[in-house]
Amino acid sequence: MNNKRHFKIIAGKFKGVCLELTSSETTRSSKSILRESLFNVLGNNIIDNCFIEAFAGVGSIGLEALSRGAKKVLFFEKNKESFGILSQNIAHLYSKNPTILANSFFGDTFELLPKAIMDIKEKKILYFDPPFNIRENYTDIYEKCFSLLRFILSSIDLFLVIFEHSSEYKLPENIGHLSIIKQKKFGKSSLSYYASSLKT
């Protein structure tokens, strides 16, 4: 019996390509309606820029960004099963277009991410999709993400930061010099967009 689950790239050069998901118990994958809304909001801002997916799971968001014209995509994931499938998904797209730039990092996002993005010259869009804070051992996950973001912002410029989070959790209006510019709810999940108040 085949218990494998899949998702499809929605648009771009890999539109319709079928990629693998983990079992539903391992990670929470982003719904297609959420992904579509996200990239409708981003529009051409994704093109030729760097997209960073923290807590990437199997990479459903970052791989969509790659399909839609991101110059490079970075993935961070510490779950072994998810990372293995993420690597397979990247390899599958690479087999179709060996010019893509996608780097995956296995381990603790909080430790790996700041160093990995330090020397990236392109505009950076950072996407956080941590486990919901109702899960065991993750009650303070959002606060840890905010601390990480403040640390990054102290030395690295980010064009845009997006949180995928539990709709029941109210994110702060401001994190460092970033402020919420847009929020949208998709059932149990929501997207909150942060940008610099110093940018026009």
Side-chain angles (χ1 to χ4, degrees):
M1 184 176 177
N2 186 354
N3 292 320
K4 287 187 177 181
R5 301 163 61 237
H6 298 86
F7 70 97
K8 286 185 178 181
I9 299 292
I10 299 170
K13 57 179 170 280
F14 297 119
K15 180 180 179 180
V17 173
C18 196
L19 298 170
E20 191 173 341
L21 289 167
T22 60
S23 63
S24 59
E25 292 79 16
T26 305
T27 56
R28 169 182 47 81
S29 63
S30 301
K31 295 178 181 177
S32 59
I33 190 172
L34 182 149
R35 280 191 289 142
E36 190 163 9
S37 174
L38 167 69
F39 287 99
N40 285 341
V41 170
L42 291 177
N44 290 335
N45 286 314
I46 200 72
I47 297 173
D48 290 333
N49 291 325
C50 178
F51 190 92
I52 302 147
E53 186 177 7
F55 310 97
V58 300
S60 62
I61 299 293
L63 295 171
E64 185 77 35
L66 201 61
S67 181
R68 293 177 185 243
K71 185 173 183 180
K72 65 178 69 171
V73 179
L74 276 59
F75 301 89
F76 296 85
E77 178 55 50
K78 72 173 184 178
N79 179 276
K80 189 174 182 180
E81 180 190 359
S82 297
F83 187 81
I85 294 175
L86 167 63
S87 300
Q88 293 173 27
N89 286 340
I90 293 172
H92 185 58
L93 294 191
Y94 184 82
S95 70
K96 296 179 176 296
N97 184 343
T99 66
I100 63 172
L101 295 176
N103 294 326
S104 54
F105 298 83
F106 178 68
D108 189 342
T109 295
F110 298 104
E111 294 179 5
L112 297 173
L113 195 151
K115 291 180 181 178
I117 69 174
M118 184 68 70
D119 297 322
I120 294 174
K121 305 302 181 187
E122 292 83 10
K123 283 183 179 178
K124 292 171 281 294
I125 299 171
L126 175 54
Y127 190 89
F128 282 103
D129 182 16
F132 278 178
N133 60 334
I134 58 173
R135 284 181 54 183
E136 187 177 0
N137 300 321
Y138 288 99
T139 55
D140 61 347
I141 188 66
Y142 293 128
E143 288 75 15
K144 287 182 176 179
C145 289
F146 304 152
S147 294
L148 173 62
L149 180 53
R150 290 187 190 98
F151 176 75
I152 292 171
L153 291 171
S154 67
S155 57
I156 301 172
D157 184 42
L158 297 173
F159 175 66
L160 188 65
V161 176
I162 305 149
F163 280 89
E164 181 178 338
H165 59 93
S166 167
S167 295
E168 296 180 357
Y169 186 87
K170 182 174 174 57
L171 270 65
E173 290 294 323
N174 302 286
I175 303 175
H177 65 271
L178 303 182
S179 302
I180 289 180
I181 59 169
K182 185 179 180 66
Q183 289 184 303
K184 191 160 184 181
K185 183 177 178 180
F186 306 86
K188 294 181 179 179
S189 297
S190 289
L191 291 176
S192 292
Y193 299 77
Y194 287 82
S196 174
S197 57
L198 303 177
K199 293 185 174 71
T200 55

